């Protein structure tokens, strides 16, 4: 930054770091000078944002290049960002190609936002997840925020904003190859784990590789620049229990992703800058859905193609005004193909599915997004300095789903020693071609007012969100011909449903118009930008995806269940083998929507308060402490309207306990609720009900040091707890039997440390350490013989069992070699150094399960307690080799 004025000394500040999403304040003092004089100050870049209460950390390219991590954004966030807990832990990239749910500060994954170059790239149907898989080699900076979000961010969950590299006047480039395999790893499946049915190396890597080439530079110096990246990632890993627990040999789950990323920047004039970005990815996963309950034939073959196109225009209108306009189009071709033409077959006893998967879905999703952000700076007005921002953001997100089933049916049975029993056939009205869409328009404005050491930022965000189902039609259905009349009950009322395959447009499901005020206050304690106290208050309206209006689509699933009389015993259904009809369901219609959904449904929202302090302990090192209180309001749930709790009688049943065997010492009585005879018609409707709202309180302490003096660091400790009074309010068994308590991912304590150090002779050391408390779980019990049929209840207080804590340690050692403008680095990463075998996921049900740990398909099968038996085990220690090459001219 250079400031000059005739009669004053020229001041130059070098090395100013500006991170995405942060305001970097640089105060410059100019002294009167009789002669030409220049004062140059180096290496004094502020690390404290004195204008914002936003709770964030930054993952810059240097941190990503010098510390061990997986090769996708989810692994990067998991290894390095304080306070974030993942659904399944990664070891050396073994979760690569899987978008795992992540939570922070009591907000579910569905309220997370991911932006690429400031534009939302979220999946419109699976909200909270991304619309494609990122190439970390193309990232320049990543901002991850977990509280006090900026006015331009729609939701209050985790906000990930990724800024990609772009070309400059220097030609630069790099190449990367990483490799790990079964030959570079250990086995952490102990005899104790094998006794639960987990085979050796059941959670291990087959092989993982990543190959990347990228380059950037000028096309026309000072005018036109490019950056391009080619990335190929292959992740082949074992899945615990897959194939099904009695099947050998082991088969891996493969995920292969090939991506091409291109961006071009055109500096038209000093006031106008254009940027275009395009990326295409091919994603291939032959065993989608691999788990302990599927055979290879009953998984899907997923073969996706993802596209992202972006256009950005930066316009400096004047010395005081800046405009940033962005246009983005995302397209997702997302098929889940069945792999055989056999009728799908599910064993209720073991929960194992054989033959085909139950359904084929071919999905197409799109996101068309345009946003424009206007900033106006007023040096002095009403006694202080103002930064006024206003903007508009509009997203149109349609999607389609083509649904197909083999013979348009599903078969179920219960296996016993004497053969299959309780045979059932389920008939469906597929094939279906379903459409749904959401439009969200946001207007926002705020003023950031600075007076001496105090900055107050107040803003309001107005949103209009509408879901609808477009006009649509489906092919003929073999089991439900056009015009068939199906007597049924909807919303407690008798209703003759007439099968149709053509549907008119249906709007306003929902149509919400809401405001979300936001306020944050920051006080610079010393006036030197070294210590600030900050507080914020905000309302975040919950985001909805296309699945919300999709749930009310009249072009939905019809299902009938029949007793199946398998006359020839071949376990293949033929028409005419239907017995008695036991169940029928039909989709919502124009006439029945009012019976199933409250017309006055309000949009759920979160209220959030934060208080914190940031302090620059030493140059480039920031310490932060933040307390957060977050409350959910108006959540939507199903509410029973016709059958009151007084229509149930409490009864005592025997709980066989955690061993799942009745008549042992851990048996105990359990009170449940039996519905009185005669049974009444249940009428449930979607309504707002604060009894199922979640509440979160927590505190976080973090430290982040930029790379200087040959080292960098990011660390954080988070304590937090989310609770809810109830999870469901439809029956007393849901609302009263061990219903209140802990909720969410259950990681009460989370500590993370990552960093790197450059030794003499350019030997690079890096590492990650993580220690998280285990998630809490709840044992459930199926209670049979009640008037209303079989129910599932919490057998113990919710969250009464906590799994083991999760420790992981990863290390890197490498050496950098220089050859003129060329640089080569050779690294070795060791993940899960201690070879920990923490069980991070288990079965929750009461009962027993049959296991075979002999390695022989014909070996002895034993029964063990189902509750607590592992289904997720941390991957073993693995060594990864990395070779990278960089050049710059």
């Amino acid at each position: 930054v250079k400031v000059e004025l005739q009669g004053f000394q020229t001041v130059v500040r070098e090395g100013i770091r500006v991170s995405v999403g942060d305001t970097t304040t640089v105060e410059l003092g100019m002294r009167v000078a009789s002669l030409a004089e220049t004062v140059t100050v180096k290496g004094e870049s502020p690390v404290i944002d004195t204008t914002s209460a936003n709770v964030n950390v930054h993952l810059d390219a240097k941190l990503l290049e010098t510390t061990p991590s997986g090769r996708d954004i989810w692994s990067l966030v998991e290894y390095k960002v304080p306070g974030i807990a993942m659904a399944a832990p990664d070891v050396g990239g073994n979760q690569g190609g899987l978008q795992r749910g992540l939570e922070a500060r009591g907000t579910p994954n569905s309220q997370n936002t991911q932006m690429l170059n400031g534009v939302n790239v979220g999946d419109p149907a699976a909200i909270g997840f991304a619309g494609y898989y990122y190439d970390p080699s193309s990232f320049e900076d990543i901002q991850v925020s977990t509280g006090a979000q900026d006015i331009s961010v729609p939701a209050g969950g985790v906000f990930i904003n990724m800024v990609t590299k772009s070309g400059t006047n220097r030609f630069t480039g790099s190449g990367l190859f990483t490799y790990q395999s079964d030959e570079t790893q250990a086995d952490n499946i102990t005899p104790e784990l094998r006794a639960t049915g987990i085979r050796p190396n059941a959670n291990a890597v087959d092989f993982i590789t990543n190959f990347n080439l990228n380059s950037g530079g000028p096309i026309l110096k000072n005018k036109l620049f490019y950056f391009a990246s080619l990335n190929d990632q292959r992740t082949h890993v074992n899945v615990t229990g897959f194939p099904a627990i009695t099947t050998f040999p082991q088969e891996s789950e493969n995920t292969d992703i090939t991506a091409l990323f291109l961006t071009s920047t055109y500096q038209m004039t000093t006031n106008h800058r254009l940027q275009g970005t395009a990326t295409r990815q091919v994603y291939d996963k032959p065993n989608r859905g691999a788990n302990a309950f599927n055979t290879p034939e009953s998984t899907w073959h997923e073969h996706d193609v993802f596209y992202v196109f972006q256009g950005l225009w930066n316009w400096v209108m004047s010395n005081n005004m800046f405009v940033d306009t962005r246009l983005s189009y995302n397209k997702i071709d997302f098929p889940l193909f069945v792999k055989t033409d056999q009728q799908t077959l599910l064993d209720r006893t073991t929960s194992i599915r054989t033959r085909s998967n139950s359904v084929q879905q071919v999905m197409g999703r799109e996101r068309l997004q345009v946003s424009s952000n206007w900033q106006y700076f007023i040096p002095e007005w009403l006694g202080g300095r103002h930064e006024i921002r206003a903007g508009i953001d509009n997203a149109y997100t349609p999607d389609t789903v083509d649904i197909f089933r083999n013979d348009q049916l599903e078969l179920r049975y219960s296996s016993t020693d004497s053969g299959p029993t309780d045979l059932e056939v389920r008939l469906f009205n597929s094939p279906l071609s379903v459409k749904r869409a959401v439009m969200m328009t946001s207007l926002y404005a705020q003023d950031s007012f600075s007076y001496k050491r105090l900055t107050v930022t107040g803003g309001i965000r107005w949103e209009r969100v509408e879901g609808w189902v477009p006009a649509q039609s489906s092919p003929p259905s073999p089991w439900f011909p056009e015009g068939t009349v199906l007597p049924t009950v909807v919303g407690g009322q008798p209703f003759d449903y007439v099968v149709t395959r053509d549907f008119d447009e249906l709007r306003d499901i929902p149509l919400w118009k809401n405001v979300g005020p936001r306020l944050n206050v920051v006080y610079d304690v010393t006036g030197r930008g070294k210590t600030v106290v900050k507080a914020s208050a905000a309302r975040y309206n919950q985001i909805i995806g296309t699945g919300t209006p999709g749930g009310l689509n009249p072009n939905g699933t019809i299902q009938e269940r029949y007793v199946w009389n398998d006359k020839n015993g071949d376990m293949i259904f033929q028409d005419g083998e239907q017995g008695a009809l036991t169940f029928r369901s039909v989709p919502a219609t124009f006439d029945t929507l009012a019976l199933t959904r409250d017309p006055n449904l309000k949009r759920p929202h979160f209220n959030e308060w934060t208080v914190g302090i940031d302090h620059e302990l030493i140059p480039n090192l920031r310490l932060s402490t933040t307390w957060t209180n977050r409350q959910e309001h108006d959540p939507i749930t199903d509410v029973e309207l016709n059958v009151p709790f007084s229509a149930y009688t409490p009864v005592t049943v025997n709980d066989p306990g955690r061993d799942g065997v009745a008549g042992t010492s851990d048996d105990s009585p359990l009170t449940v609720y039996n519905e009185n005879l005669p049974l009444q018609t249940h009428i449930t409707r979607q309504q707002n009900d604060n009894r199922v709202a979640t509440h979160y309180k927590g505190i976080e302490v973090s430290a982040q040091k930029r790379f200087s003096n040959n080292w960098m660091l990011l660390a954080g400790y988070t304590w937090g707890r989310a609770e809810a009074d109830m999870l469901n309010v439809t029956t007393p068994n849901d609302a009263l039997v061990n219903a209140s308590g802990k909720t969410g991912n259950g990681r009460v304590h989370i500590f993370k440390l990552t960093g790197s150090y450059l030794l003499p002779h350019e030997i690079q050391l890096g590492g990650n350490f993580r220690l998280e408390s285990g998630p809490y779980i709840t044992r459930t019990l199926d209670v049979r013989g009640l008037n209303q049929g079989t129910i599932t209840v919490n057998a113990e207080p919710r969250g009464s069992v906590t799994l083991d804590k999760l420790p992981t340690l990863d290390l890197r050692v490498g050496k950098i070699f220089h050859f003129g403008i060329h640089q080569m680095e050779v690294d070795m990463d060791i993940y899960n150094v201690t070879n920990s075998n923490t069980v991070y996921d288990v079965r929750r049900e009461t009962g027993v399960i049959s296991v075979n740990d002999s390695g022989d398909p014909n070996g002895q099968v034993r029964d063990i307690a189902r509750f607590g038996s592992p289904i997720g085990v941390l991957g073993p220690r693995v060594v990864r080799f990395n070779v990278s090459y960089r050049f710059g001219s």
Side-chain angles (χ1 to χ4, degrees):
V1 178
K2 183 178 182 180
V3 181
E4 54 187 349
L5 183 66
Q6 186 174 359
F8 292 83
Q9 65 180 198
T10 298
V11 179
V12 178
R13 287 284 297 273
E14 294 182 350
I16 301 298
R17 295 284 299 274
V18 182
S19 298
V20 57
D22 281 356
T23 297
T24 301
T25 302
V26 181
E27 299 287 352
L28 298 173
M30 303 176 68
R31 297 178 180 178
V32 175
S34 57
L35 299 173
E37 181 182 2
T38 299
V39 177
T40 302
V41 181
K42 298 182 179 181
E44 293 187 9
S45 181
V47 296
I48 304 293
D49 187 343
T50 60
T51 67
S52 172
N54 182 231
V55 182
N56 69 65
V57 296
H58 287 271
L59 309 178
D60 62 18
K62 188 69 174 179
L63 183 69
L64 303 183
E65 292 170 358
T66 60
T67 57
S69 66
R71 292 288 297 163
D72 62 30
I73 187 64
W74 298 273
S75 297
L76 297 176
V77 167
E78 174 192 354
Y79 281 110
K80 304 181 187 308
V81 179
I84 290 182
M86 310 297 292
D90 180 88
V91 175
N94 68 352
Q95 300 291 328
L98 300 174
Q99 292 202 36
R100 295 163 290 147
L102 56 93
E103 296 183 15
R105 303 176 191 266
T107 305
N109 183 81
S110 61
Q111 299 308 301
N112 297 338
T113 304
Q114 300 183 37
M115 291 189 182
L116 187 72
N117 295 321
V119 183
N120 196 325
V121 290
D123 188 323
I127 52 173
F129 293 101
Y132 85 116
Y133 291 81
Y134 308 101
D135 168 15
S137 296
S138 66
F139 293 153
E140 183 65 35
D141 191 10
I142 304 171
Q143 175 198 18
V144 184
S145 304
T146 55
Q149 304 291 10
D150 183 81
I151 192 72
S152 62
V153 180
V158 179
F159 170 55
I160 304 176
N161 190 16
M162 295 147 284
V163 175
T164 58
K165 297 175 181 177
S166 58
T168 68
N169 275 330
R170 295 175 60 242
F171 279 107
T172 61
S174 68
L176 171 71
F177 180 73
T178 73
Y179 176 80
Q180 63 199 76
S181 73
D182 57 349
E183 297 177 352
T184 68
Q185 69 186 336
D187 181 10
N188 63 354
I189 304 302
T190 62
E192 292 78 12
L193 284 172
R194 290 192 62 181
T196 66
I198 297 180
R199 297 185 293 276
N201 296 309
N203 58 340
V205 165
D206 185 7
F207 73 87
I208 301 176
T209 62
N210 187 258
F211 173 75
N212 180 272
L213 286 176
N214 66 76
S215 70
I219 300 174
L220 295 174
K221 202 161 188 178
N222 298 323
K223 281 292 185 181
L224 185 61
F225 314 91
Y226 81 94
F227 177 81
S229 177
L230 174 64
N231 196 72
D232 183 84
Q233 177 179 319
R234 300 183 181 270
T235 308
H236 294 202
V237 299
N238 296 334
V239 175
T240 304
F242 174 76
I245 206 162
T246 57
T247 305
F248 299 87
Q250 180 74 42
E251 183 167 333
S252 66
E253 182 184 28
N254 305 339
T255 307
D256 298 334
I257 306 174
T258 303
L260 178 64
F261 176 89
L262 300 170
T263 185
S264 180
T265 306
Y266 178 42
Q267 191 72 44
M268 295 176 60
T269 67
T270 56
N271 292 342
H272 294 273
R273 177 177 178 267
L274 300 177
Q275 180 173 310
T277 299
T279 182
R280 181 181 186 270
Q281 294 182 334
V282 178
Y283 177 103
D284 189 49
K285 182 187 282 288
N287 284 325
R288 168 67 185 261
N291 56 46
F293 307 107
N294 279 330
T295 62
E297 292 76 19
S298 63
T299 60
W300 287 294
H301 184 182
E302 178 181 355
H303 188 81
D304 309 333
V305 182
F306 307 115
Y307 303 89
V308 178
F309 303 97
Q310 293 182 337
L312 290 74
W313 173 31
N314 299 145
W315 177 20
V316 181
M317 294 183 67
S318 68
N319 289 338
N320 296 69
M321 194 163 189
F322 178 80
V323 182
D324 177 15
T325 301
R326 302 165 187 260
L327 177 66
S328 177
Y329 174 67
N330 296 22
K331 189 174 188 299
I332 305 171
D333 294 330
F334 179 13
L336 297 176
F337 295 117
V338 295
K339 295 161 70 172
T340 78
D341 59 0
Q342 298 174 311
Q343 297 173 356
T344 184
L345 186 64
L346 178 69
D347 182 351
R348 294 190 191 90
T349 303
T350 64
S351 299
I352 294 174
R353 185 178 298 278
T354 55
R355 304 176 182 171
S356 170
N357 199 288
S358 61
V359 61
Q360 174 174 290
Q361 301 179 74
V362 178
M363 293 162 279
R365 302 171 182 174
E366 298 175 83
R367 174 182 288 274
L368 180 60
Q369 189 113 13
V370 60
S371 63
S372 187
N373 185 63
W374 298 61
Q375 301 187 65
Y376 186 66
F377 176 72
I378 304 176
E380 187 172 353
W381 181 46
L382 300 177
R385 184 175 59 201
H386 297 258
E387 277 191 58
I388 298 173
R389 291 180 60 194
I392 182 172
D393 190 13
N394 187 81
Y396 169 57
T397 56
D399 80 30
T400 61
V401 184
D402 292 328
I403 300 172
F404 171 84
R405 294 175 172 86
N406 287 340
D407 293 337
Q408 317 309 333
L409 57 83
E410 179 182 355
L411 303 178
R412 297 190 175 201
Y413 74 103
S414 297
S415 59
T416 68
D417 292 339
S418 58
T421 62
D422 299 328
L423 275 67
E424 178 186 76
V425 58
R426 300 184 175 191
L427 304 180
F428 298 90
N429 64 327
S430 46
L432 293 173
S433 183
V434 180
K435 298 180 181 179
R436 58 262 182 107
V438 169
M439 176 81 81
M440 181 173 172
T441 303
S442 305
L443 301 174
Y444 56 85
Q446 75 173 25
D447 182 14
S448 182
F449 171 69
S450 297
Y451 176 74
K452 296 184 178 179
R453 302 180 186 179
L454 179 68
T455 299
V456 179
T457 303
I460 193 164
R461 184 181 176 96
W462 177 86
E463 295 174 342
R464 178 190 184 275
V465 57
E466 180 189 10
W468 76 91
V469 292
Q472 56 198 276
S473 62
S474 293
S477 166
W479 300 114
F480 299 93
E482 181 95 15
T484 302
V485 178
L486 302 175
T488 187
V489 175
V490 178
Q493 303 297 318
F495 183 77
D496 286 338
Y497 180 87
V498 180
V499 176
T500 181
R501 310 299 283 176
D502 297 290
F503 302 90
D504 296 329
E505 181 183 66
L506 180 61
R507 306 289 303 211
D508 301 350
I509 50 171
L511 175 59
W512 286 322
K513 299 175 184 177
N514 307 92
V515 296
R518 303 188 191 178
L519 173 70
N520 63 83
V521 180
V522 181
Y523 181 70
D524 186 346
V525 177
T526 64
R528 297 184 297 114
K530 302 297 184 181
T531 303
V532 299
V533 178
K534 55 187 183 179
S536 75
R539 168 175 290 189
Y540 304 107
N541 294 300
Q542 287 195 21
I543 305 300
I544 69 167
T546 54
T548 300
L552 300 173
N553 194 337
N555 184 21
T557 297
I558 301 171
Q559 180 186 160
E560 288 184 342
R561 302 177 189 173
Y562 293 90
V563 173
W564 173 25
N565 300 316
D566 185 22
K567 298 175 183 178
N568 58 8
D570 62 357
M571 298 299 287
I572 298 175
F573 175 79
Q574 287 92 31
D575 192 10
E577 293 184 341
Q578 303 95 316
L581 175 68
T582 60
F583 175 84
R584 173 183 288 153
S585 68
V586 299
T589 69
F590 293 105
D591 300 319
T592 63
L593 278 174
L595 301 174
T596 58
R597 183 173 177 272
D598 185 353
N600 299 313
L601 204 64
K602 290 183 275 187
R603 187 178 180 184
H605 65 272
F606 287 92
N607 289 340
E608 178 196 77
W609 299 267
T610 70
V611 177
I613 183 169
D614 287 355
H615 175 64
E616 184 177 340
L617 183 64
I618 59 175
N620 293 308
L621 174 59
R622 180 188 71 179
L623 292 178
S624 300
T625 301
T626 305
W627 173 84
T628 302
N629 186 324
R630 188 173 281 166
Q631 306 285 328
E632 185 182 18
H633 294 273
D634 296 325
I636 298 173
T637 189
D638 288 336
V639 176
E640 171 63 50
L641 302 180
N642 190 51
V643 182
F645 284 8
S646 60
Y648 293 80
T649 300
V651 297
T652 300
V653 299
N654 181 61
D655 172 15
R658 297 181 181 179
D659 66 4
V661 180
T664 58
S665 60
D666 67 343
D667 290 15
S668 62
L670 179 67
T671 299
V672 298
Y673 294 84
N674 193 19
E675 190 173 349
N676 298 335
L677 295 175
L679 297 179
Q680 304 177 56
T681 301
H682 287 267
I683 303 175
T684 60
R685 186 166 66 172
Q686 285 187 335
Q687 291 186 182
N688 300 105
D689 197 313
N690 281 320
R691 290 178 292 176
V692 300
T694 59
H695 319 284
Y696 172 85
K697 293 180 180 178
I699 189 168
E700 181 173 285
V701 180
S702 66
Q704 181 162 20
K705 182 187 178 295
R706 294 171 176 165
F707 184 79
S708 63
N709 300 321
N710 294 327
W711 69 284
M712 64 190 311
L713 174 142
L714 173 58
Y717 166 73
T718 307
W719 176 91
R721 175 171 291 179
E723 295 185 344
D725 295 330
M726 302 178 183
L727 289 181
N728 197 306
V729 296
T730 53
T731 75
N733 290 302
D734 298 319
L736 304 178
V737 181
N738 295 318
S740 63
K742 306 170 189 174
T743 188
N745 61 53
R747 307 286 188 183
V748 176
H749 303 278
I750 302 176
F751 175 76
K752 296 181 184 179
L753 170 66
T754 185
S756 65
Y757 189 85
L758 185 62
L759 292 169
H761 308 292
E762 296 201 89
I763 296 174
Q764 184 77 59
L765 298 180
N768 310 309
F769 176 71
R770 166 180 54 182
L771 181 61
E772 300 178 354
S773 56
Y776 34 71
I777 62 171
T778 305
R779 182 168 62 89
T780 64
L781 175 68
D782 288 344
V783 179
R784 295 175 171 81
L786 301 179
N787 294 331
Q788 67 266 38
T790 300
I791 64 170
T792 300
V793 297
N794 290 340
E796 300 178 16
R798 200 166 83 219
S800 57
V801 176
T802 301
L803 299 185
D804 292 339
K805 61 181 177 294
L806 175 69
T808 58
L809 174 64
D810 314 310
L811 297 176
R812 165 174 290 186
V813 59
K815 176 71 172 72
I816 302 172
F817 303 91
H818 290 277
F819 309 95
I821 64 171
H822 304 274
Q823 176 180 299
M824 177 173 288
E825 182 173 348
V826 179
D827 302 308
M828 181 180 70
D829 296 341
I830 307 175
Y831 295 92
N832 190 11
V833 172
T834 62
N835 204 32
S836 169
N837 61 355
T838 302
V839 174
Y840 63 83
D841 197 11
V842 300
R843 295 178 177 89
R844 273 76 165 171
E845 308 84 8
T846 302
V848 296
I849 185 172
S850 299
V851 301
N852 177 354
D853 64 346
S854 66
D856 178 359
N858 301 314
Q860 181 182 4
V861 175
R862 299 178 297 103
D863 290 338
I864 64 170
R866 179 180 290 270
F867 176 71
S869 59
I871 56 177
V873 180
L874 189 68
R877 178 175 56 243
V878 65
V879 176
R880 186 176 81 189
F881 298 98
N882 316 292
V883 178
S884 59
Y885 160 76
R886 292 181 286 270
F887 75 88
S889 62

